[in-house]
Amino acid sequence: MLALLHTLLLALVAVAGWAVVRERNPVRQTLVLGFYAIVLAVQFMMVQAPDVALSQITAGGALVPLMLLLTLSKTRLRKPPEMHARGPNHR
Amino acid sequence: MTPRTRSRLGIAALIPLGGLLVASVAGLYPFGGFNGFYGTRYNHVTVEQRHIPSAVTAVVFDYRGLDTMGEELILLAAVAGIALLLRQLRDEGETGSHDARPGRPDLPPSEGIQTAGIVLLGFGFVYGWYIVVFGHLSPGGGFQGGAAIASALIMLYVAGSHKILESLAPRAIFESVEAIAVAGYICTGLSGLIMNMRFMENVLPLGQRGHLLSGGMIPLLNVLVGISVATGFVLVAQEFVHQAVTVREET
């Protein structure tokens, strides 16, 4: 029974990893990455490592998606270099 | 290369690798069967030698406290690197939030998010400190609790605004607090050197197993690590928020 649960959870980890790779939109990929982090944390709890699971939940669920989304927002809002009368390299 | 070709190539590479993975996992010891020397030794001696029930915390903060000091310095270096990389350059100016018209105040987040943020911040902050302080009695410790506290403090930005985050979690104070906490960790190790001629030797009374003040220097190190990790992560988030929301290239 326990072996079956272990196997199911490992399969879920594999599926979640595949989903992270297959999602191509960066914003959605961030959320799928958060889901993958939570699944990994459950996996860590399954093998009786609660300290690691706590770290994984906070870092992978809250801090890494925050940093990723802020970076995406910053890089998307940068305006392309404007064209001046004397050419694109003149400021 | 089209996505379909990529998928097919991926699956074709995953099948032999997956077979290798399954074969190697099947050849592992059964779960719980451990053949190392130190693991079983730590399980036997931790309670008598350190008077705490959590062998993991004893290994991290006492038996291998030097490695944890290295991890602290890694975190400090990472936070300093991020602060250096995301510093404000000469040709970048600070503006208001980009989704607000110039001259108008920022839009506050919706009331649902504000309420949820207040609840999560209060609960997360207290629960994070619980994880830090009880680190030697239950799973947790400095790193985990510090990350939980930082996640709660970031609610100031998620459910408030970047101005609230900057005013309630000012960068100057957090930088000093993190530096003082890391220095405190090193000074705790030096106190062992001064009194017993061994770095990180325990100098505080060991106490009784199960009590809050047991394990000698372990609760103190837990609190110091918790403070430094929490402030470090909040500083990282602040740098990102500052760079993403307020800093603009001046054209």
Side-chain angles (χ1 to χ4, degrees):
Chain A
M1 175 62 202
L2 206 59
L4 182 65
L5 215 52
H6 274 289
T7 318
L8 275 179
L9 203 56
L10 279 174
L12 187 60
V13 168
V15 167
W18 184 253
V20 171
V21 171
R22 287 289 285 154
E23 178 59 56
R24 300 320 297 173
N25 186 358
V27 176
R28 286 190 215 149
Q29 201 177 25
T30 308
L31 293 174
V32 183
L33 194 67
F35 168 72
Y36 178 61
I38 301 295
V39 167
L40 266 185
V42 175
Q43 165 73 26
F44 291 152
M45 266 312 294
M46 203 63 183
V47 294
Q48 300 178 11
D51 300 27
V52 188
L54 273 173
S55 295
Q56 175 69 22
I57 289 175
T58 47
L63 296 164
V64 170
L66 178 79
M67 289 198 287
L68 282 173
L69 286 173
L70 285 170
T71 310
L72 284 169
S73 134
K74 171 79 176 180
T75 52
R76 281 192 182 182
L77 286 175
R78 179 181 297 148
K79 287 189 282 205
E82 301 195 354
M83 298 283 292
H84 287 264
R86 296 183 201 177
N89 289 331
H90 177 76
R91 275 230 162 246
Chain B
M1 198 182 271
T2 63
R4 284 197 87 190
T5 318
R6 252 202 300 262
S7 285
R8 285 197 190 135
L9 203 61
I11 293 179
L14 274 176
I15 290 178
L17 282 177
L20 281 175
L21 183 69
V22 168
S24 59
V25 167
L28 286 176
Y29 283 108
F31 183 61
F34 178 65
N35 208 17
F37 172 75
Y38 277 113
T40 42
R41 269 303 258 266
Y42 280 138
N43 272 339
H44 288 302
V45 306
T46 304
V47 178
E48 304 126 41
Q49 283 188 358
R50 288 293 163 252
H51 294 203
I52 62 173
S54 168
V56 175
T57 308
V59 169
V60 166
F61 284 107
D62 196 304
Y63 293 113
R64 310 297 309 179
L66 198 61
D67 302 337
T68 310
M69 190 178 80
E71 285 188 34
E72 279 298 290
L73 295 173
I74 286 176
L75 186 65
L76 188 71
V79 172
I82 289 178
L84 185 68
L85 192 64
L86 296 179
R87 74 194 181 284
Q88 199 171 329
L89 296 173
R90 245 178 292 143
D91 58 350
E92 286 175 348
E94 253 185 67
T95 66
S97 181
H98 53 75
D99 55 354
R101 268 176 184 269
R104 284 181 153 199
D106 293 332
L107 283 171
S110 75
E111 293 191 0
I113 295 183
Q114 280 181 343
T115 314
I118 290 174
V119 169
L120 283 176
L121 187 144
F123 174 71
F125 193 72
V126 174
Y127 193 62
W129 280 114
Y130 159 76
I131 295 179
V132 168
V133 168
F134 282 77
H136 54 291
L137 297 174
S138 65
F143 292 104
Q144 291 81 1
I149 293 167
S151 308
L153 285 176
I154 287 169
M155 284 295 134
L156 283 173
Y157 164 65
V158 172
S161 71
H162 60 280
K163 293 192 191 118
I164 294 180
L165 182 66
E166 177 59 39
S167 66
L168 285 182
R171 258 186 287 174
I173 294 183
F174 270 48
E175 283 168 5
S176 327
V177 167
E178 189 196 6
I180 290 172
V182 174
Y185 192 104
I186 299 178
C187 288
T188 315
L190 283 176
S191 72
L193 190 66
I194 292 173
M195 299 187 62
N196 284 345
M197 292 307 291
R198 276 187 217 148
F199 192 71
M200 286 253 164
E201 177 97 10
N202 198 13
V203 293
L204 294 177
L206 278 174
Q208 203 180 349
R209 174 188 167 214
H211 281 208
L212 196 58
L213 290 176
S214 57
M217 289 197 314
I218 294 179
L220 176 66
L221 292 177
N222 254 330
V223 170
L224 286 171
V225 166
I227 292 175
S228 98
V229 166
T231 47
F233 275 133
V234 170
L235 276 174
V236 163
Q238 275 224 342
E239 291 292 338
F240 272 88
V241 167
H242 179 66
Q243 184 67 238
V245 176
T246 55
V247 172
R248 288 281 165 272
E249 277 183 34
E250 273 171 2
T251 50

XYZ file of all heavy atoms in Angstrom, chain A residues 2 6 10 18 22 24 46-48 50-52 54-55 58-59 62-63 66-68 70-71 73-74 77-79 82 91, chain B residues 3 7 11 14 31 56-57 98 131 139-140 144 147-148 151 154 157-158 233 236-237 240-241 243-245 247-249 251:
480
model
N 1.869 1.232 0.884
C 2.761 2.400 0.953
C 3.624 2.495 -0.291
O 3.903 3.592 -0.779
C 3.638 2.283 2.201
C 4.138 3.596 2.777
C 2.956 4.460 3.136
C 4.970 3.324 4.007
N 4.025 5.623 -2.820
C 5.320 6.154 -3.254
C 5.407 6.225 -4.771
O 5.845 7.228 -5.341
C 6.456 5.257 -2.737
C 6.899 5.589 -1.359
N 7.605 6.720 -1.058
C 6.737 4.926 -0.198
C 7.863 6.749 0.233
N 7.352 5.676 0.779
N 5.806 9.538 -7.143
C 6.932 9.711 -8.064
C 6.435 9.951 -9.480
O 6.983 10.784 -10.219
C 7.843 8.482 -8.016
C 8.816 8.451 -6.840
C 9.555 7.138 -6.830
C 9.793 9.589 -6.937
N 7.298 17.270 -16.520
C 6.995 17.319 -17.949
C 6.115 18.518 -18.267
O 6.314 19.206 -19.277
C 6.325 16.020 -18.354
C 6.032 15.887 -19.800
C 4.819 15.952 -20.397
C 6.972 15.681 -20.855
N 4.942 15.794 -21.757
C 6.255 15.621 -22.066
C 8.356 15.531 -20.896
C 6.865 15.419 -23.287
C 8.968 15.333 -22.125
C 8.229 15.282 -23.299
N 6.678 21.635 -20.872
C 5.828 21.782 -22.043
C 5.083 23.102 -22.078
O 4.544 23.462 -23.107
C 4.811 20.622 -22.064
C 5.455 19.321 -22.436
C 5.834 19.297 -23.877
N 4.645 19.117 -24.694
C 4.538 19.534 -25.956
N 5.540 20.148 -26.511
N 3.444 19.341 -26.625
N 4.894 26.857 -22.541
C 5.825 27.762 -23.186
C 5.629 29.216 -22.810
O 6.533 30.003 -22.987
C 5.719 27.646 -24.724
C 6.009 26.285 -25.272
C 7.143 25.600 -24.600
N 8.405 26.303 -24.776
C 9.530 25.966 -24.171
N 9.521 24.959 -23.327
N 10.640 26.627 -24.390
N 6.886 12.610 2.099
C 6.630 11.182 1.965
C 7.828 10.355 2.422
O 7.671 9.271 2.962
C 6.333 10.897 0.496
C 5.569 9.680 0.219
S 3.943 9.736 0.938
C 3.416 8.122 0.478
N 9.055 10.878 2.187
C 10.238 10.145 2.636
C 10.727 10.680 3.967
O 11.898 10.550 4.298
C 11.364 10.190 1.581
C 10.963 9.448 0.347
C 11.725 11.607 1.256
N 9.822 11.323 4.737
C 10.096 11.712 6.113
C 11.256 12.698 6.219
O 12.180 12.495 6.997
C 10.361 10.483 6.975
C 9.185 9.549 6.986
C 9.466 8.318 7.784
O 10.463 8.243 8.488
N 8.593 7.342 7.679
N 10.797 16.431 6.862
C 9.918 17.604 6.961
C 10.648 18.936 6.879
O 10.091 19.917 6.394
C 9.251 17.429 8.316
C 10.152 16.543 9.085
C 10.812 15.661 8.114
N 11.922 18.980 7.316
C 12.658 20.242 7.230
C 12.826 20.664 5.783
O 12.599 21.829 5.411
C 14.040 20.083 7.870
C 13.952 19.706 9.324
O 12.961 19.089 9.709
O 14.866 20.053 10.075
N 13.245 19.718 4.972
C 13.453 20.021 3.558
C 12.137 20.419 2.904
O 12.074 21.327 2.079
C 14.062 18.799 2.850
C 14.454 19.141 1.446
C 15.247 18.297 3.609
N 9.574 21.901 4.291
C 9.234 23.275 4.678
C 10.002 24.274 3.824
O 9.437 25.243 3.312
C 9.563 23.497 6.156
C 8.485 23.138 7.170
C 9.040 23.264 8.561
C 7.307 24.057 7.000
N 11.311 24.046 3.679
C 12.098 24.957 2.855
C 11.581 24.984 1.435
O 11.475 26.048 0.818
C 13.563 24.515 2.832
O 14.123 24.608 4.086
N 8.247 27.052 1.041
C 8.375 28.502 1.077
C 9.176 29.011 -0.104
O 8.768 29.954 -0.782
C 9.043 28.942 2.384
O 10.179 28.127 2.610
C 8.092 28.825 3.543
N 10.323 28.396 -0.369
C 11.159 28.919 -1.445
C 10.526 28.673 -2.804
O 10.429 29.575 -3.625
C 12.550 28.302 -1.383
N 6.677 30.462 -2.905
C 6.464 31.892 -2.706
C 7.585 32.729 -3.299
O 7.313 33.691 -4.014
C 6.329 32.196 -1.217
N 8.835 32.370 -3.009
C 9.913 33.305 -3.322
C 10.347 33.215 -4.769
O 10.538 34.238 -5.427
C 11.083 33.035 -2.376
C 10.701 33.306 -0.921
C 11.696 32.687 0.007
C 10.611 34.788 -0.686
N 7.777 34.706 -7.157
C 7.769 36.162 -7.035
C 8.904 36.774 -7.827
O 8.715 37.729 -8.599
C 7.882 36.561 -5.559
C 7.941 38.057 -5.314
C 6.570 38.644 -5.400
C 8.532 38.353 -3.945
N 10.112 36.203 -7.665
C 11.249 36.761 -8.387
C 11.069 36.620 -9.884
O 11.379 37.531 -10.664
C 12.532 36.061 -7.920
C 12.941 36.431 -6.511
S 14.653 36.050 -6.155
C 14.579 34.302 -6.050
N 10.562 35.461 -10.315
C 10.368 35.245 -11.749
C 9.360 36.218 -12.323
O 9.580 36.816 -13.383
C 9.904 33.809 -11.984
C 10.985 32.739 -11.928
C 10.344 31.380 -12.000
C 11.936 32.915 -13.066
N 8.415 39.154 -11.183
C 8.916 40.529 -11.211
C 9.907 40.715 -12.346
O 9.925 41.759 -13.011
C 9.556 40.878 -9.865
C 8.544 41.134 -8.754
C 9.247 41.235 -7.429
C 7.797 42.411 -9.036
N 10.754 39.705 -12.579
C 11.699 39.813 -13.691
C 10.965 39.879 -15.018
O 11.315 40.667 -15.902
C 12.649 38.608 -13.677
O 13.170 38.459 -12.376
C 13.762 38.786 -14.656
N 7.946 40.966 -15.544
C 7.294 42.262 -15.677
C 8.295 43.337 -16.064
O 8.014 44.209 -16.886
C 6.597 42.607 -14.361
O 6.865 43.923 -14.000
N 9.490 43.259 -15.498
C 10.488 44.274 -15.831
C 10.948 44.147 -17.277
O 11.099 45.133 -17.988
C 11.689 44.131 -14.889
C 12.863 44.982 -15.259
C 12.670 46.397 -14.834
C 13.919 47.218 -15.142
N 13.778 48.600 -14.746
N 8.327 45.372 -19.960
C 7.914 46.767 -20.055
C 9.010 47.663 -20.583
O 8.807 48.856 -20.704
C 7.492 47.271 -18.677
C 6.146 46.729 -18.245
C 5.864 47.168 -16.846
C 5.071 47.231 -19.162
N 10.169 47.060 -20.873
C 11.230 47.917 -21.355
C 10.899 48.362 -22.768
O 10.576 47.558 -23.630
C 12.561 47.167 -21.359
C 13.696 48.008 -21.864
C 14.968 47.236 -21.887
N 15.337 46.836 -20.561
C 15.980 45.717 -20.303
N 16.284 44.893 -21.275
N 16.314 45.402 -19.091
N 10.983 49.642 -23.025
C 10.643 50.127 -24.356
C 11.792 49.849 -25.304
O 12.940 49.907 -24.912
C 10.381 51.635 -24.301
C 9.077 51.979 -23.632
C 8.785 53.436 -23.804
C 9.630 54.222 -22.824
N 9.023 55.509 -22.513
N 14.481 54.032 -29.008
C 13.729 54.886 -29.917
C 14.621 55.375 -31.040
O 15.821 55.511 -30.895
C 13.163 56.074 -29.154
C 12.258 55.615 -28.032
C 11.419 56.742 -27.506
O 11.629 57.876 -27.938
O 10.577 56.473 -26.660
N 21.944 59.157 -28.953
C 21.032 59.385 -27.815
C 20.850 60.854 -27.594
O 21.837 61.543 -27.417
C 21.611 58.748 -26.548
C 21.253 57.290 -26.446
C 20.668 56.960 -25.074
N 19.951 55.680 -25.163
C 18.657 55.612 -25.010
N 17.953 56.689 -24.766
N 18.053 54.454 -25.088
N 7.920 21.919 -32.341
C 7.630 21.343 -31.020
C 7.389 19.845 -31.056
O 7.741 19.129 -30.119
C 6.388 22.102 -30.571
C 6.466 23.386 -31.278
C 7.112 23.103 -32.602
N 9.253 17.139 -28.906
C 8.599 16.175 -28.022
C 9.068 14.770 -28.311
O 9.371 13.994 -27.399
C 7.084 16.233 -28.197
O 6.574 17.362 -27.580
N 10.988 12.311 -25.742
C 10.506 11.002 -25.302
C 11.509 9.923 -25.658
O 11.786 9.002 -24.869
C 9.122 10.721 -25.907
C 8.111 11.692 -25.311
C 8.705 9.300 -25.655
C 6.728 11.519 -25.849
N 14.089 10.093 -23.116
C 13.647 9.798 -21.758
C 13.488 8.307 -21.516
O 13.619 7.847 -20.378
C 12.308 10.488 -21.467
C 12.419 11.920 -20.964
C 11.036 12.505 -20.805
C 13.148 11.954 -19.648
N 13.459 1.333 1.992
C 13.313 2.608 2.693
C 13.449 2.395 4.186
O 12.713 1.657 4.809
C 11.946 3.218 2.376
C 11.755 4.555 3.004
C 12.583 5.603 2.686
C 10.740 4.770 3.914
C 12.419 6.839 3.256
C 10.568 6.004 4.486
C 11.411 7.039 4.156
N 18.295 16.095 13.478
C 18.619 16.900 12.293
C 19.153 18.260 12.712
O 20.196 18.729 12.241
C 17.367 17.054 11.408
C 17.651 17.967 10.248
C 16.918 15.712 10.921
N 18.450 18.908 13.652
C 18.892 20.229 14.103
C 20.225 20.131 14.828
O 21.082 21.007 14.702
C 17.836 20.852 15.020
O 16.593 20.794 14.362
C 18.175 22.269 15.351
N 4.133 51.798 -12.539
C 3.939 52.007 -13.976
C 2.490 51.912 -14.397
O 2.151 52.294 -15.508
C 4.789 51.022 -14.773
C 4.567 49.604 -14.349
N 3.458 48.887 -14.683
C 5.306 48.783 -13.591
C 3.542 47.671 -14.171
N 4.646 47.588 -13.504
N 8.285 28.341 14.162
C 9.141 27.333 13.540
C 10.608 27.588 13.905
O 11.383 26.664 14.159
C 8.951 27.335 12.016
C 7.547 26.918 11.648
C 9.927 26.383 11.348
C 7.293 26.921 10.164
N 10.379 19.594 13.722
C 11.003 19.893 12.432
C 10.895 21.367 12.098
O 9.875 21.997 12.302
C 10.207 19.058 11.441
C 9.609 17.987 12.236
C 9.407 18.518 13.606
N 11.968 21.914 11.588
C 11.948 23.328 11.272
C 13.335 23.871 11.475
O 14.301 23.333 10.983
N 14.065 27.293 7.608
C 12.672 27.126 7.225
C 11.821 28.248 7.807
O 11.012 28.871 7.111
C 12.156 25.779 7.721
C 12.752 24.593 7.031
C 14.100 24.207 7.567
O 14.609 24.820 8.480
N 14.679 23.183 6.980
N 12.476 31.564 6.044
C 11.803 31.663 4.756
C 10.313 31.914 4.936
O 9.703 32.670 4.168
C 12.040 30.398 3.947
N 9.701 31.290 5.976
C 8.274 31.517 6.220
C 8.021 32.955 6.645
O 7.042 33.584 6.207
C 7.768 30.551 7.286
N 8.249 35.128 3.590
C 7.055 35.027 2.758
C 5.910 35.828 3.346
O 5.125 36.437 2.616
C 6.618 33.573 2.632
O 7.681 32.776 2.220
N 6.521 39.549 2.692
C 6.332 39.953 1.305
C 4.862 40.231 1.020
O 4.523 40.914 0.051
C 6.947 38.878 0.390
C 8.457 38.977 0.473
C 6.533 39.014 -1.023
C 9.164 37.838 -0.158
N 3.916 43.677 0.194
C 3.898 44.164 -1.178
C 2.710 43.597 -1.945
O 2.044 44.299 -2.695
C 5.206 43.798 -1.887
C 5.123 43.907 -3.386
C 4.912 45.131 -3.992
C 5.224 42.792 -4.197
C 4.818 45.236 -5.357
C 5.143 42.890 -5.554
C 4.934 44.112 -6.135
O 4.836 44.212 -7.478
N 2.428 42.305 -1.747
C 1.388 41.650 -2.542
C 0.024 42.239 -2.204
O -0.803 42.494 -3.066
C 1.414 40.135 -2.280
C 0.256 39.448 -2.928
C 2.711 39.547 -2.785
N 15.932 37.298 2.613
C 14.938 37.070 1.573
C 14.088 38.302 1.322
O 13.718 38.611 0.181
C 14.045 35.891 1.951
C 14.620 34.562 1.563
C 14.650 33.504 2.447
C 15.134 34.362 0.296
C 15.187 32.286 2.088
C 15.672 33.140 -0.063
C 15.697 32.097 0.843
N 16.039 40.577 -0.849
C 16.041 40.131 -2.250
C 14.731 40.541 -2.925
O 14.728 41.100 -4.022
C 16.251 38.615 -2.304
C 15.860 38.064 -3.652
C 17.683 38.265 -1.999
N 13.606 40.276 -2.246
C 12.318 40.647 -2.828
C 12.223 42.154 -3.016
O 11.696 42.628 -4.024
C 11.181 40.157 -1.930
N 14.115 43.226 -6.126
C 13.368 42.907 -7.335
C 12.196 43.857 -7.518
O 11.934 44.348 -8.615
C 12.883 41.458 -7.283
C 13.877 40.477 -7.819
C 14.846 39.929 -7.018
C 13.836 40.100 -9.155
C 15.764 39.038 -7.520
C 14.754 39.205 -9.660
C 15.721 38.670 -8.843
N 11.452 44.105 -6.440
C 10.289 44.984 -6.540
C 10.715 46.396 -6.911
O 10.115 47.035 -7.781
C 9.513 44.984 -5.201
C 8.518 46.105 -5.160
C 8.805 43.669 -5.012
N 13.327 47.326 -8.534
C 13.788 47.374 -9.907
C 12.632 47.226 -10.894
O 12.601 47.868 -11.923
C 14.809 46.239 -10.119
C 15.458 46.217 -11.461
C 16.363 47.394 -11.702
O 16.172 48.131 -12.632
N 17.359 47.545 -10.845
N 11.681 46.378 -10.549
C 10.623 46.095 -11.512
C 9.556 47.177 -11.523
O 8.943 47.437 -12.539
C 9.971 44.746 -11.197
N 9.313 47.808 -10.385
C 8.171 48.706 -10.291
C 8.569 50.157 -10.422
O 7.900 50.929 -11.099
C 7.434 48.481 -8.945
C 6.320 49.462 -8.794
C 6.897 47.078 -8.890
N 12.019 51.651 -10.925
C 13.172 52.163 -11.658
C 12.881 52.152 -13.135
O 12.413 51.166 -13.689
C 14.417 51.308 -11.342
C 15.551 51.695 -12.235
C 14.813 51.492 -9.898
N 13.138 53.246 -13.768
C 12.911 53.353 -15.215
C 14.150 53.925 -15.854
O 14.847 54.722 -15.261
C 11.775 54.327 -15.521
C 10.429 53.888 -15.198
C 9.854 52.949 -16.227
N 8.698 52.318 -15.657
C 8.762 51.195 -14.951
N 9.893 50.583 -14.798
N 7.687 50.702 -14.419
N 14.375 53.549 -17.099
C 15.464 54.180 -17.835
C 15.047 55.564 -18.236
O 13.967 55.755 -18.785
C 15.786 53.375 -19.093
C 16.694 52.205 -18.811
C 17.048 51.471 -20.081
O 17.171 52.153 -21.116
O 17.158 50.261 -20.049
N 14.966 58.382 -20.609
C 15.247 58.561 -22.032
C 15.413 60.037 -22.361
O 15.001 60.877 -21.574
C 14.083 58.029 -22.866
O 12.871 58.576 -22.351
C 14.030 56.525 -22.725
